[in-house]
Amino acid sequence: MEIAMQYTDYSTKEIHHRKTAEYFAEVHSSYKNQNFRSAVVTLYSVVMADLIYKLQESFDIYEDNTAESILNEIRDKQQRNPSSSEWEQYLIDSIINRTKLLESHDGENLKHLRKHRHLCAHPVLDQADVLFSPNDETVLAHIKNMIEGVISKGALLKSNIFVDMVTSLENDKKYLTSEPVLSRYVESKYLKHFSFELEKKVFKSLWRVVFKLDDDSCERNRDINFKVLKIMMDRNTENLKSLISEEPVYFSQINDDSKIISYISRFLFNYSDVFSKLEAHAQELLRSHTLTDESKIIKAYYLSKTAPDHFKHLSKRYHHIEYNQFGAKYSIVNHSFRKEDIVALKEIAKRTQSFYDFYSLMIEHYSYSTNFDTASSIFDECITPFLEKFDENLMLQLLDGFNKNDQIYTSFRRFAKYESKMIKKHADLVLVKDFDYKQYPNFNFFLDE
């Protein structure tokens, strides 16, 4: 009972309408005092009132014609037969069948509450117990279902809400200058009012205007619509991933324009496992576009089975040794990591907990430095920020890379001594005591100075 009270205390904070919250206090009190029959009867009345508030708010704020129509029909039924409760069932059926306010299971829960309310409120002569007496668990289940499925939801019933939302975003985007501001705006005005059925419908429509359509309006608003699509995905990730899995044909409709491909690449960077849910032709389209653009390849870990595989792929793609006509070997780097590349790679490591492979790639990039200047800049960007994270194996890799590349260890390179001292300082902490640095003579050279 105590745990149940904690639940109802917490959940009442989620009630959308102020008057509903006030009325619900009576339900809470009845349940607390174990007046379970009274709690059921009152809960049903509170839910009926809440549905009326939602209809009125939907009409007042969103100019919803369906809400207005249902309200007028309810008033007409009440005026024609004031003592009849027929309008209550009509209200429930109308909201279930004509709006997107309730999920189908929420509607069934409401119908079940209505049956129990009648049993609690009306005597049945052919039963030993003339009035139905629900138990603690039944009443708590009704309260939980009504809070989560009905009265915690806002008033948004419009069938064309997607058009309303994207129009508002276009009109107001000059004020929505940061993602936190945009997130608060779209959450407050739309998302918190959505049932999941409505959320799925809007998400699918938004996916289409961001990743498929290319008319002037879509192009003009693609950026803000993309941000809202990502906000929706962030707040309900697993359910929307399941939706994509269930409808791969729909979500595989992707425009092959390179600008649009850039947007879906950004999306997949955040939700890499969505790639595997798409159909083969969409995967090949994305793969072919990505492999022609190094800035996309860096982030496209969704093309590999795992993030470590992605780091290995980049290593093999960008680093190799060649020999000149005299047999001297030299490093080839096909792509130098920019600061934004390193930030993206670090984010991949964080998302996938594959820091070891990321650090290994950073060390290898340093090991393949092609000249004195790049060796110094790569050390500053790829080694210095992460050096304290390197374990024994990574330090051995770093020592070996330093020792083998004459563009790093050459004595007259200005920063070689500085880098070796930094490396030695951390190596002493992670390598065995009295570690023999002489096995790396080109590194050890600086230690003997």
Side-chain angles (χ1 to χ4, degrees):
M1 183 72 173
E2 181 179 349
I3 295 174
M5 289 309 302
Q6 290 175 355
Y7 169 80
T8 54
D9 283 335
Y10 171 77
S11 297
T12 52
K13 299 174 184 177
E14 305 298 316
I15 295 175
H16 174 72
H17 200 280
R18 178 181 58 82
K19 292 297 291 183
T20 300
E22 291 178 12
Y23 295 148
F24 187 83
E26 186 177 343
V27 178
H28 188 274
S29 175
S30 295
Y31 179 78
K32 181 179 181 180
N33 293 309
Q34 301 188 39
N35 297 320
F36 299 138
R37 185 184 298 114
S38 176
V40 169
V41 173
T42 308
L43 177 63
Y44 177 75
S45 298
V46 170
V47 172
M48 289 296 102
D50 185 69
L51 293 176
I52 295 294
Y53 294 145
K54 283 176 169 53
L55 289 170
Q56 191 63 57
E57 188 176 326
S58 188
F59 173 64
D60 291 341
I61 297 175
Y62 301 104
E63 299 180 351
D64 192 318
N65 293 329
T66 300
E68 181 185 29
S69 175
I70 296 172
L71 283 170
N72 289 336
E73 291 160 10
I74 295 298
R75 289 191 191 98
D76 182 61
K77 288 183 178 297
Q78 290 179 336
Q79 289 170 1
R80 283 191 288 108
N81 196 348
S83 61
S84 173
S85 63
E86 174 194 355
W87 67 270
E88 296 173 357
Q89 186 63 56
Y90 184 82
L91 172 63
I92 294 171
D93 291 341
S94 296
I95 286 179
I96 292 173
N97 298 325
R98 296 164 61 183
T99 78
K100 295 290 184 179
L101 177 62
L102 301 180
E103 311 282 0
S104 58
H105 61 272
D106 294 327
E108 291 302 315
N109 287 335
L110 180 51
K111 291 177 182 178
H112 188 51
L113 171 63
R114 177 176 167 81
K115 290 178 182 177
H116 274 190
R117 179 263 183 188
H118 288 341
L119 290 173
C120 289
H122 303 298
V124 179
L125 297 180
D126 59 354
Q127 291 184 177
D129 292 325
V130 177
L131 287 177
F132 174 63
S133 297
N135 58 32
D136 180 349
E137 292 79 8
T138 298
V139 178
L140 180 61
H142 281 311
I143 292 173
K144 183 175 183 291
N145 289 336
M146 292 304 102
I147 290 176
E148 295 179 357
V150 183
I151 61 181
S152 65
K153 294 180 178 179
L156 212 165
L157 306 124
K158 296 178 72 169
S159 59
N160 62 338
I161 190 60
F162 173 72
V163 175
D164 182 272
M165 186 176 82
V166 294
T167 302
S168 294
L169 288 168
E170 179 172 17
N171 293 338
D172 295 340
K173 65 182 177 182
K174 58 181 174 293
Y175 307 112
L176 308 174
T177 54
S178 70
E179 292 200 18
V181 170
L182 175 60
S183 182
R184 288 194 296 272
Y185 172 94
V186 75
E187 174 71 25
S188 175
K189 191 170 183 179
Y190 296 103
L191 301 183
K192 75 176 184 179
H193 305 295
F194 286 3
S195 66
F196 185 53
E197 287 302 314
L198 183 55
E199 184 176 359
K200 289 192 293 185
K201 181 179 179 180
V202 171
F203 183 80
K204 288 176 64 176
S205 298
L206 207 55
W207 178 284
R208 184 170 176 79
V209 300
V210 173
F211 297 140
K212 176 62 177 176
L213 304 181
D214 61 354
D215 58 43
D216 290 342
S217 176
C218 291
E219 182 60 34
R220 189 168 60 249
N221 297 294
R222 197 176 310 279
D223 195 60
I224 194 166
N225 288 336
F226 171 78
K227 291 174 182 176
V228 174
L229 187 76
K230 187 173 176 297
I231 289 168
M232 294 184 70
M233 195 71 178
D234 284 342
R235 74 190 292 274
N236 200 358
T237 306
E238 295 308 314
N239 284 330
L240 291 175
K241 282 182 181 178
S242 296
L243 174 64
I244 295 170
S245 296
E246 292 162 6
E247 302 187 39
V249 174
Y250 181 92
F251 288 98
S252 295
Q253 298 178 47
I254 298 169
N255 196 301
D256 63 359
D257 180 84
S258 59
K259 289 184 294 184
I260 297 178
I261 293 294
S262 294
Y263 277 97
I264 195 166
S265 297
R266 287 166 57 189
F267 183 86
L268 292 172
F269 179 74
N270 289 282
Y271 313 103
S272 60
D273 52 341
V274 168
F275 179 79
S276 64
K277 304 177 190 302
L278 303 178
E279 295 204 314
H281 69 274
Q283 293 181 4
E284 290 306 316
L285 172 65
L286 291 166
R287 183 177 284 108
S288 62
H289 273 267
T290 300
L291 294 178
T292 63
D293 186 337
E294 298 302 332
S295 64
K296 290 193 182 81
I297 291 173
I298 295 293
K299 299 179 181 181
Y301 68 107
Y302 49 84
L303 295 179
S304 301
K305 289 184 178 180
T306 66
D309 288 338
H310 178 64
F311 291 129
K312 290 181 177 67
H313 168 74
L314 295 180
S315 176
K316 185 177 180 180
R317 183 181 181 90
Y318 295 143
H319 307 138
H320 62 278
I321 296 293
E322 290 193 2
Y323 295 85
N324 64 20
Q325 58 183 335
F326 304 108
K329 69 176 184 179
Y330 58 97
S331 300
I332 294 293
V333 176
N334 295 324
H335 177 76
S336 295
F337 292 143
R338 303 161 299 174
K339 289 183 179 180
E340 57 264 37
D341 294 335
I342 297 169
V343 169
L345 291 169
K346 182 183 176 183
E347 180 62 24
I348 293 171
K350 180 180 178 182
R351 290 172 187 272
T352 60
Q353 292 300 299
S354 51
F355 282 104
Y356 184 92
D357 300 274
F358 165 66
Y359 295 148
S360 181
L361 178 62
M362 294 296 97
I363 292 170
E364 182 167 288
H365 202 55
Y366 173 63
S367 302
Y368 276 81
S369 299
T370 55
N371 59 60
F372 297 168
D373 290 337
T374 58
S376 299
S377 63
I378 292 173
F379 187 87
D380 289 342
E381 294 173 7
C382 296
I383 303 301
T384 301
F386 315 115
L387 182 59
E388 293 184 355
K389 304 290 186 180
F390 294 174
D391 64 7
E392 179 181 1
N393 289 332
L394 291 170
M395 289 308 299
L396 293 175
Q397 180 186 347
L398 180 57
L399 290 170
D400 186 63
F402 188 107
N403 187 68
K404 288 181 177 180
N405 189 341
D406 61 2
Q407 298 302 307
I408 295 176
Y409 68 69
T410 302
S411 59
F412 47 84
R413 185 171 77 86
R414 186 167 45 147
F415 293 103
K417 185 174 182 179
Y418 163 78
E419 292 165 13
S420 67
K421 288 187 178 299
M422 281 192 65
I423 294 170
K424 171 69 161 52
K425 181 179 179 181
H426 184 64
D428 285 343
L429 298 176
V430 299
L431 299 180
V432 295
K433 187 177 181 181
D434 299 324
F435 180 79
D436 182 14
Y437 290 98
K438 291 181 180 178
Q439 60 188 298
Y440 302 103
N442 295 319
F443 177 81
N444 193 64
F445 169 81
F446 296 96
L447 306 185
D448 293 336
E449 288 189 333

